[in-house]
Amino acid sequence: MRITTLPLVFLVGLLNIAHADDQLTDQERSAIALLNSISDIVVAKIDAGSCYEMKGQYQIKLFATGMIRQRRQNNMATVRLSDRAVSVVAYPKVKIPEVGSQIVTIYTRTSDYDVFDPVKNYDAVYSFNSDGSLLSMVGNLELFTNHSYLTSQAYGTEAKTGFSAEPSSDDLNSTNIGRGSSQLSALDYPKAKYQQRVQLSRDAATNSHTLFLRDLLSNNQSCRIKTETVGHRSNDSISEEGYLTIDMSNPDDPVVFIF
């Protein structure tokens, strides 16, 4: 497995938003909502513990069709954390012309019901503008704080991200870049704020590569949550696998690519 290191300069100056066509496909919107939701749950688990306790590399799978009224497995992401698997499903809504589109995501339990699950519930609403270049989301999350299921901590999550297409010499290769921020709150009090960056790439052979990155913005601590997946992307679906990595990197540290 080859590891390369690239500076973060490739993610700078990326908000020259184009409004002629949809910035993101239905499949890409669903994939982004799923990865954002997984990251929300991870951020809350880090707040309940620590980045050091959560650090590691975990397998993640993503499948997204972006279509409404389909089986939940058709828009779903699952990451296998050290304590148990975390899965999120997405339910896209009908797009309204000149207004935009919405996607609802919900936490779903795996078949391993005998293992303590700290996630009591999670749901979020993702709103894209009419051309898909701007995303805003709000979510609600609750974690159990002990194995007796008697006490829990409620969180609020929110994020805003702008997307732009990277210039390409042909129509067969495409890269969409996103940049924004996300926040975790408890009782309306901000608990943690993260810088958020996204990169979605596809080549002429429909091979795809997705990077979803969050960096903690804090003066006295550091934490990076990086999701990197590869696979195939068509007009009907995105199917990718990879890793969610948690480490103590700073926002200015280079991004280390696995693939």
Side-chain angles (χ1 to χ4, degrees), residues 17-19 21-25 29 32 95 99-101 128-135 161-164:
I17 305 300
H19 297 280
D21 303 300
D22 280 353
Q23 189 66 59
L24 302 168
T25 66
R29 286 194 290 268
I32 291 166
K95 183 177 181 180
V99 175
S101 59
F128 293 85
N129 67 343
S130 59
D131 67 355
S133 61
L134 294 174
L135 163 66
T161 309
F163 294 90
S164 64

Side-chain angles (χ1 to χ4, degrees), residues 8-15 177 179:
L8 292 183
V9 66
F10 81 104
L11 288 167
V12 177
L14 302 170
L15 293 182
I177 302 292
R179 192 179 183 95

Side-chain angles (χ1 to χ4, degrees), residues 44-119:
K45 287 169 71 68
I46 289 173
D47 180 76
S50 70
C51 190
Y52 181 80
E53 293 173 354
M54 288 283 294
K55 71 177 182 177
Q57 191 173 80
Y58 310 101
Q59 288 186 323
I60 186 170
K61 292 184 178 181
L62 166 71
F63 186 77
T65 65
M67 299 181 66
I68 62 174
R69 292 187 290 273
Q70 289 207 341
R71 302 178 308 159
R72 66 175 191 167
Q73 293 90 339
N74 286 359
N75 290 286
M76 187 174 186
T78 299
V79 59
R80 297 197 171 278
L81 299 176
S82 57
D83 53 354
R84 65 171 296 129
V86 169
S87 297
V88 177
V89 293
Y91 297 97
K93 304 299 182 181
V94 176
K95 183 177 181 180
I96 302 175
E98 307 302 325
V99 175
S101 59
Q102 282 193 338
I103 298 172
V104 175
T105 61
I106 299 174
Y107 176 72
T108 182
R109 281 166 176 74
T110 65
S111 58
D112 192 6
Y113 289 100
D114 295 332
V115 179
F116 171 70
D117 187 353
V119 182

Side-chain angles (χ1 to χ4, degrees), residues 188-229:
D188 296 325
Y189 178 79
K191 296 280 287 182
K193 188 170 185 178
Y194 285 77
Q195 180 185 59
Q196 183 156 297
R197 287 165 286 182
V198 187
Q199 179 173 293
L200 307 100
S201 303
R202 182 175 65 183
D203 66 15
T206 71
N207 295 310
S208 58
H209 177 248
T210 300
L211 176 70
F212 193 98
L213 193 69
R214 280 188 179 179
D215 283 298
L216 180 63
L217 298 175
S218 174
N219 291 327
N220 56 8
Q221 56 185 324
S222 61
C223 189
R224 170 171 288 175
I225 305 164
K226 183 192 68 175
T227 302
E228 187 186 2
T229 55

Side-chain angles (χ1 to χ4, degrees), residues 27 30 56 73 82 85 97 126 128 150 170 172 188 194 205 220 235 251:
Q27 296 78 26
S30 289
Q73 293 90 339
S82 57
Y126 293 79
F128 293 85
L150 294 177
D170 55 61
L172 299 177
D188 296 325
Y194 285 77
N220 56 8
N235 293 329

Side-chain angles (χ1 to χ4, degrees), residues 172-194:
L172 299 177
N173 298 283
S174 65
T175 299
N176 278 308
I177 302 292
R179 192 179 183 95
S181 63
S182 61
Q183 182 170 286
L184 180 76
S185 302
L187 299 175
D188 296 325
Y189 178 79
K191 296 280 287 182
K193 188 170 185 178
Y194 285 77

